[in-house]
Amino acid sequence: MVKLPCLRTTAAPIALLLAATSARAAGFDAATGKVTTAGAAYALSFDDAAAIQGQGLSGADFVNELTFDELGLAGRIERDAAGIEGGGALAAGGDLVYVAMDLGGLDFVGRRIQAFLWQKPQGTRMMPSISWYLGDPLDLTIGGTVTFQPTGNVTDDGWEEWTSGPVDWAWADVVAPASLDLFDEGQTAYYGGASPDESARSLIDALYIEDLGAAAVPASRCALPTEAADCGAAGLCHLGRCVDAAIRVGQPLFSDALRADYIDRRLFEIDHFEGGRAPRTKLELVREALVPLKETPSAATFWPTFSEAYTLLVDGHASAPLMSYPAFHNAGVCVHEGEADLLAGAPVVPLVFQAFDNIVGAALQPGDALIAIDGLPTADWAAAAHRLITHPGDPAGRSVVTAPQVFAAAVDSGAVVTFARCAAPPAACDDPDHIVIDLGVIIGDPLLEGITAVGYDDRAPCDYRFVRPVSSNDQVANTSYEFAGHSDDAGVRFLVINGVPSYYSVGGQEWFEAVDDALDDQPPLLVLDERTGAGGGIDAVDFIGSYLIGPDDLFGMDFLPSFENDAPTDDRDEVVACSTSGPPSGFGCGNGFRWFVGDAADGTHGNAAGSKVAVLMAMDVSGNDYLTRMLDARAGETRVFGAGAAFGAYGVIWSMAAHIGELAGGSLQVQDTIFMVDDNDDNASFATSTGERPETIVRQRQSDALVGRDTVIEAARAWLQETP
Amino acid sequence: MRQLERVNAGAREPSAASAALPALCLVLFAAGCPGRDPLVTQRNADAVIEDPPPPPPPTVRQLTTRPLFGTLPVENRFLDPLLTFTASGWFAFSDAFNDAPIVHRVVASSPTSTPFLKIDPAENDHAVLLGQLKSARSALHIELWLGRDGDASSFDSVEVSVAGLFAGTGESTTQLRAIGDVLELGARSWQRFAVDLAEGPIGWSYLMAGDTASEEVLYIGGPAAIDLEGAPSALLGSAAPTLHRPLTTRERAMIAAVQERTRSLGGASATGVPASMHRLPESAPRICKARGPPQAASAF
């Protein structure tokens, strides 16, 4: 092979090499049964200690908290013709759970490359990836990651070929990748319950990089709506710059056979595992979206198409497999849907609810209305940004739920955002100030210059509330999932929850106690503020729900798996008979069960059934879908306030498996639900896909925001205090 | 039924694809890994299966290809056929029940060319593995491979069954039985276990596998559950009638525990950003130091 032992110490040999190798024929040699890297632009042999010296390698044993330098890694080289290239191979994995190769010494800026390596699992497998980091070296933020894919090529003695696929070397043609990382996938299994095996190994060999020519993505600025024209077929717009799509959203599978199998498997999962009856009827829509991907292995479209296709199910629990990091977060600014009533036409647009102390937040203030992005009306821009803005639930809730995503998408793409600012009433706002922020310039450009003004993880704790009517307590912030707390104001009890955490989950017991404290004295006027409702457990749903509804208001719910058969059967009867014959939680029963309202009540069923209740909703999914539905069944005075539908996610959510090293395999709802008012209820309608709607449509108004008033709370308070 | 249906169809009416599959399999696993499909292809466990001729001595390494799921069908009703533990697909319970058992995922040569699990009694008090599969009231074939170290291994003490809600019967379990000969692959011996059901259980079902008697290491892999187009026992030949028995107290407890772990009513984000997402050099050590006890992927 061609060894380049000094390559990493100077850029000069690279230039010489690139000049000499416009094409190469490296690969598997059938005559010798070996891989040859001759002609590669870079090649790393693991033949012996000398071969890896100066190559920027390091390793780590996280369990025993040990690190490996190149000398240490040399001790993990297996020789005696162990390799598929040359004579040696690196025995990674097990206690050497992580191996990194610093790519800083390589200079392929302006070039398009494809990296390969071979590995031979001997108990475990290493997941290779290349990562790009931006910003301050002491405060780096992620720019993107390309996870290698198997090519499908294997040898009869167990070697596997993996590749990065074609990718431009530099992020935006400027920032070179930081490292090539190998991570023992046994660590991934650990989090699901399997134990890593410290003695497991995977032999690593034949790591090489091909130079495919000039970079495919132009080094130019861009805007998301025009990214196809700005960045070409291989690029996407990220932080205001054209970036190789593979870096931003991940590579597709390159092997036609593997890619077809992968798509077929995901469709099979939907066809058989999906429990929502309405979503099950949407399978063909998903199929129509995904099957064409078998023919087009494009990084720019593959995973984004998955992401959008899963929303076609209208399964509020569905999420597509994830091959890359999601979008940048909110950059420290809480933006939610509101009514810009001070502007002409009082448009419904995202409003700033809170702005925190950073370079973006400092330019904004509550009540600022996001009226344009990249020169387009916000709604038009959001429609063009579909790859970054998705909502799996009831479409009637989309604009409310996704308003924060609109701003996050603007941050991620480096858009130019325009906010309209008005003075507080009674001043007129005929000529509002326009606050124009080029997010690409103030976030993206500094990152290229080694300055982290706003990093990937910089985010504000936003929760769809303009005012949080209950303060944080000593243990839990009022924006945290497990928070529950109450306060009284002018005869109105405010109970704030952000989900319905199960009793046995983290913070669950305290949540139950806080709800009990809030409802035990049967407050006559109650605002249940679940504007952030992330769901949780059926026990918590039932505990708070049954507190508030009378014993005769709602009988129960049947949680039922898919029966996969359109013909009438007695499957539901079988499940119900099974689940009601055992202990309260039943056993398996096909993963179905009947839940009787009040089962989780601790002598509290109906204790607050007489309260007049205003329910505030905005982003409510799953457990909070159920809770809102239960409250809708109250005989007592109840009204729901908000602007969009809940998700309509009636069933449990299960993770799907990650088959090819995805960051996550996605998720599906594996049940659907039938509600019953009484034990004679012959309702057979499944609930999924249609969330509860507010009876009173109300959004945060810009005029109220400017004086610190929460429009939704005030509307609820006014209704509660109406005299009958 | 991409892979297996081709095989099934081939047994009735040979097609190019079905005829090619066993050959492909032999090519794929010339190193001694014949996979499941040739046995399935026979569709008759009582037939005389001739031993394949010994492969020629390895001289030059051969290049071939491997499908995404090895020889397992894409249309596999197991939630997590590759045993990745990234889904709500697999759970393990120790004999003492409250202890977290030690189950290792092994990526190495196997009958189906897919990863498998290792349960070592030396590390556990006889863990039992439970896998979730989606079934329906139609003819169903379920199988998996169990392995041992060495070449003279016994599978007499292993227990493999599928528990589910059978219409008209209620919640019950039925045994999988050993099919075919023991297969030697490298330093391990493998035995296929399978059952054909005239009518599968309603909803989700639970495959249970373990050995609470032996002190030998047990390997578990190659789970497959596929629809049968033909009559039950179409794959297994003149199989004995499927017998159901009530669940034991321990089986009920395991299933109840799985139910407890998989009843999340959280949003899609409730599944969280998985640990595998944190493949960053600087963050990985923090993750490992901070990690708690293993949890089901779907647990809230």
Side-chain angles (χ1 to χ4, degrees):
Chain A
M1 69 170 285
V2 175
K3 281 189 178 179
L4 307 165
C6 300
L7 194 58
R8 303 189 54 79
T9 59
T10 172
I14 289 280
L16 292 172
L17 184 69
L18 294 180
T21 58
S22 58
R24 61 170 301 278
F28 186 82
D29 184 340
T32 63
K34 290 277 192 177
V35 170
T36 172
T37 58
Y42 172 77
L44 177 58
S45 165
F46 294 96
D47 287 352
D48 49 35
I52 66 171
Q53 288 303 306
Q55 302 300 304
L57 291 170
S58 61
D61 170 356
F62 298 146
V63 176
N64 300 306
E65 299 188 358
L66 300 175
T67 58
F68 295 75
D69 57 13
E70 286 174 345
L71 187 60
L73 290 176
R76 296 292 291 257
I77 288 179
E78 291 193 7
R79 303 181 65 179
D80 301 328
I84 193 170
E85 180 276 332
L90 177 69
D95 54 355
L96 181 54
V97 67
Y98 172 66
V99 176
M101 177 179 172
D102 185 345
L103 299 176
L106 299 181
D107 184 9
F108 290 105
V109 173
R111 310 297 294 174
R112 189 164 181 79
I113 62 94
Q114 183 166 7
F116 294 85
L117 68 77
W118 287 75
Q119 65 177 313
K120 182 177 183 179
Q122 295 181 328
T124 193
R125 179 181 280 130
M126 302 299 284
M127 291 303 301
S129 62
I130 296 176
S131 294
W132 287 257
Y133 294 94
L134 312 172
D136 186 338
L138 299 178
D139 185 20
L140 287 170
T141 199
I142 187 73
T145 296
V146 166
T147 300
F148 282 40
Q149 301 290 332
T151 66
N153 290 332
V154 298
T155 66
D156 56 358
D157 62 342
W159 285 93
E160 306 171 347
E161 185 187 42
W162 290 69
T163 183
S164 67
V167 61
D168 285 359
W169 178 253
W171 189 97
D173 215 33
V174 175
V175 180
S179 59
L180 190 161
D181 306 309
L182 303 170
F183 205 89
D184 188 331
E185 69 175 11
Q187 289 290 318
T188 304
Y190 173 86
Y191 291 93
S195 301
D197 182 352
E198 292 189 26
S199 67
R201 297 286 183 269
S202 183
L203 297 180
I204 305 295
D205 201 9
L207 168 58
Y208 62 97
I209 297 173
E210 288 186 335
D211 184 350
L212 304 180
V217 179
S220 63
R221 291 190 179 274
C222 55
L224 191 146
T226 56
E227 66 183 351
D230 296 340
C231 305
L236 292 175
C237 196
H238 186 31
L239 297 172
R241 306 281 182 139
C242 288
V243 173
D244 193 304
I247 297 174
R248 177 62 191 88
V249 296
Q251 291 281 29
L253 280 154
F254 306 106
S255 156
D256 290 347
L258 299 190
R259 194 169 62 256
D261 276 0
Y262 184 83
I263 291 168
D264 287 341
R265 175 64 188 178
R266 291 305 184 192
L267 291 170
F268 179 86
E269 290 171 351
I270 294 171
D271 193 15
H272 291 80
F273 302 164
E274 170 66 50
R277 271 42 176 196
R280 292 183 57 77
T281 67
K282 308 287 177 47
L283 172 64
E284 287 309 310
L285 294 176
V286 181
R287 191 188 306 278
E288 288 173 11
L290 295 186
V291 166
L293 298 177
K294 293 182 180 179
E295 307 300 324
T296 55
S298 158
T301 59
F302 191 79
W303 295 111
T305 300
F306 263 92
S307 177
E308 294 181 54
Y310 273 53
T311 68
L312 298 173
L313 293 169
V314 196
D315 168 359
H317 279 125
S319 61
L322 189 65
M323 185 50 89
S324 65
Y325 287 81
F328 260 55
H329 300 291
N330 57 34
V333 182
C334 296
V335 173
H336 296 280
E337 185 177 271
E339 180 184 335
D341 58 325
L342 298 177
L343 302 180
V348 173
V349 292
L351 294 181
V352 174
F353 276 24
Q354 292 96 26
F356 289 76
D357 185 21
N358 67 14
I359 192 170
V360 182
L364 297 169
Q365 65 183 37
D368 288 346
L370 180 55
I371 58 171
I373 306 177
D374 288 331
L376 296 176
T378 299
D380 292 350
W381 187 91
H386 48 83
R387 72 172 172 86
L388 289 172
I389 302 170
T390 57
H391 176 53
D394 186 336
R398 178 182 171 90
S399 67
V400 171
V401 172
T402 62
Q405 293 182 41
V406 174
F407 185 67
V411 172
D412 192 80
S413 65
V416 177
V417 291
T418 303
F419 289 87
R421 177 176 297 171
C422 294
C429 193
D430 298 331
D431 186 18
D433 292 337
H434 282 181
I435 314 299
V436 180
I437 305 172
D438 189 331
L439 296 167
V441 168
I442 69 168
I443 297 176
D445 287 0
L447 289 173
L448 293 181
E449 296 161 6
I451 301 167
T452 306
V454 174
Y456 177 84
D457 281 326
D458 287 341
R459 70 184 90 182
C462 305
D463 69 350
Y464 292 83
R465 297 179 179 95
F466 185 76
V467 169
R468 294 156 189 153
V470 178
S471 300
S472 303
N473 60 43
D474 292 342
Q475 287 78 41
V476 186
N478 58 6
T479 53
S480 295
Y481 165 70
E482 64 271 25
F483 178 82
H486 75 273
S487 65
D488 294 332
D489 182 32
V492 176
R493 169 73 48 87
F494 291 87
L495 170 58
V496 169
I497 59 172
N498 296 318
V500 280
S502 181
Y503 186 85
Y504 295 103
S505 66
V506 175
Q509 185 174 345
E510 292 77 11
W511 186 93
F512 272 65
E513 291 170 356
V515 169
D516 195 40
D517 287 345
L519 301 179
D520 184 51
D521 62 353
Q522 304 167 29
L525 302 178
L526 174 69
V527 170
L528 174 61
D529 188 344
E530 56 163 350
R531 282 179 285 181
T532 291
I538 184 63
D539 57 340
V541 170
D542 188 68
F543 182 71
I544 186 172
S546 64
Y547 226 126
L548 290 163
I549 68 175
D552 297 328
D553 292 348
L554 186 66
F555 172 68
M557 347 168 186
D558 285 348
F559 292 70
L560 301 169
S562 165
F563 299 136
E564 299 187 43
N565 190 342
D566 294 334
T569 67
D570 57 358
D571 288 359
R572 179 184 174 188
D573 295 337
E574 293 271 2
V575 169
V576 171
C578 171
S579 74
T580 55
S581 64
S585 63
F587 297 117
C589 302
N591 190 35
F593 59 94
R594 170 164 289 182
W595 185 275
F596 298 100
V597 172
D599 265 0
D602 185 15
T604 55
H605 193 175
N607 278 5
S611 298
K612 185 177 182 182
V613 180
V615 181
L616 313 188
M617 62 180 290
M619 196 292 293
D620 292 280
V621 63
S622 197
N624 288 81
D625 270 310
Y626 284 95
L627 175 58
T628 312
R629 178 102 177 205
M630 288 176 72
L631 297 177
D632 192 40
R634 292 181 86 230
E637 283 189 282
T638 310
R639 181 168 291 185
V640 181
F641 295 78
F647 277 52
Y650 294 105
V652 302
I653 177 176
W654 282 5
S655 299
M656 298 294 111
H659 304 304
I660 54 168
E662 308 96 312
L663 299 173
S667 58
L668 293 173
Q669 179 180 304
V670 297
Q671 296 170 329
D672 207 333
T673 301
I674 295 174
F675 289 85
M676 295 158 289
V677 173
D678 55 51
D679 58 357
N680 292 317
D681 193 336
D682 60 359
N683 178 31
S685 297
F686 288 95
T688 291
S689 294
T690 303
E692 286 289 308
R693 267 77 166 165
E695 295 156 287
T696 298
I697 303 298
V698 57
R699 299 178 178 85
Q700 177 63 40
R701 289 196 197 101
Q702 186 181 26
S703 57
D704 285 337
L706 293 171
V707 295
R709 185 165 51 217
D710 189 310
T711 310
V712 182
I713 286 177
E714 294 311 315
R717 188 200 302 271
W719 174 76
L720 284 172
Q721 294 178 331
E722 282 178 356
T723 302
Chain B
M1 304 304 305
R2 186 182 61 78
Q3 292 186 10
L4 201 54
E5 275 186 357
R6 283 181 191 165
V7 176
N8 293 344
R12 289 191 300 273
E13 187 176 277
S15 65
S18 62
L21 193 58
L24 171 63
C25 192
L26 289 174
V27 170
L28 280 174
F29 304 103
C33 175
R36 173 178 53 78
D37 294 307
L39 294 174
V40 172
T41 308
Q42 299 296 328
R43 310 183 73 196
N44 184 347
D46 295 335
V48 175
I49 302 173
E50 293 182 4
D51 290 332
T59 52
V60 176
R61 179 186 289 124
Q62 299 295 308
L63 185 67
T64 182
T65 58
R66 182 174 60 212
L68 192 59
F69 294 94
T71 61
L72 294 176
V74 171
E75 299 85 355
N76 188 342
R77 287 177 169 274
F78 275 92
L79 181 61
D80 183 10
L82 299 180
L83 300 147
T84 65
F85 282 81
T86 56
S88 314
W90 297 98
F91 303 85
F93 299 95
S94 69
D95 210 22
F97 209 79
N98 290 326
D99 297 333
I102 296 174
V103 176
H104 301 293
R105 182 173 187 263
V106 183
V107 186
S109 177
S110 75
T112 54
S113 201
T114 55
F116 52 93
L117 301 178
K118 172 186 176 183
I119 299 176
D120 186 349
E123 298 179 306
N124 292 285
D125 54 346
H126 302 102
V128 172
L129 188 72
L130 190 151
Q132 300 208 82
L133 63 141
K134 179 67 177 64
S135 46
R137 291 174 62 177
S138 53
L140 185 67
H141 171 85
I142 304 171
E143 69 173 51
L144 86 165
W145 288 83
L146 299 184
R148 298 285 202 196
D149 287 325
D151 57 2
S153 303
S154 168
F155 294 91
D156 293 344
S157 56
V158 299
E159 297 175 31
V160 194
S161 61
V162 60
L165 176 59
F166 291 89
T169 304
E171 219 165 19
S172 57
T173 186
T174 187
Q175 297 280 123
L176 278 69
R177 62 191 180 92
I179 301 294
D181 295 329
V182 172
L183 176 68
E184 293 182 12
L185 262 181
R188 299 184 184 95
S189 302
W190 293 89
Q191 173 69 59
R192 187 171 70 120
F193 287 76
V195 67
D196 280 359
L197 301 172
E199 182 176 291
I202 296 168
W204 288 85
S205 306
Y206 311 90
L207 179 115
M208 300 180 187
D211 187 342
T212 57
S214 171
E215 295 304 316
E216 287 189 81
V217 171
L218 181 65
Y219 300 99
I220 301 172
I226 56 171
D227 294 338
L228 288 173
E229 289 187 340
S233 299
L235 290 180
L236 300 183
S238 54
T242 302
L243 300 176
H244 297 282
R245 64 164 173 77
L247 298 178
T248 65
T249 300
R250 177 176 166 75
E251 288 168 340
R252 286 180 179 275
M254 287 192 291
I255 292 172
V258 170
Q259 289 281 304
E260 285 297 317
R261 298 183 195 184
T262 58
R263 281 190 179 173
S264 171
L265 297 178
S269 60
T271 55
V273 175
S276 58
M277 185 163 176
H278 302 276
R279 288 201 295 254
L280 306 182
E282 70 276 19
S283 63
R286 291 201 299 272
I287 294 165
C288 290
K289 288 175 186 172
R291 68 191 181 191
Q295 295 183 343
S298 67
F300 196 84

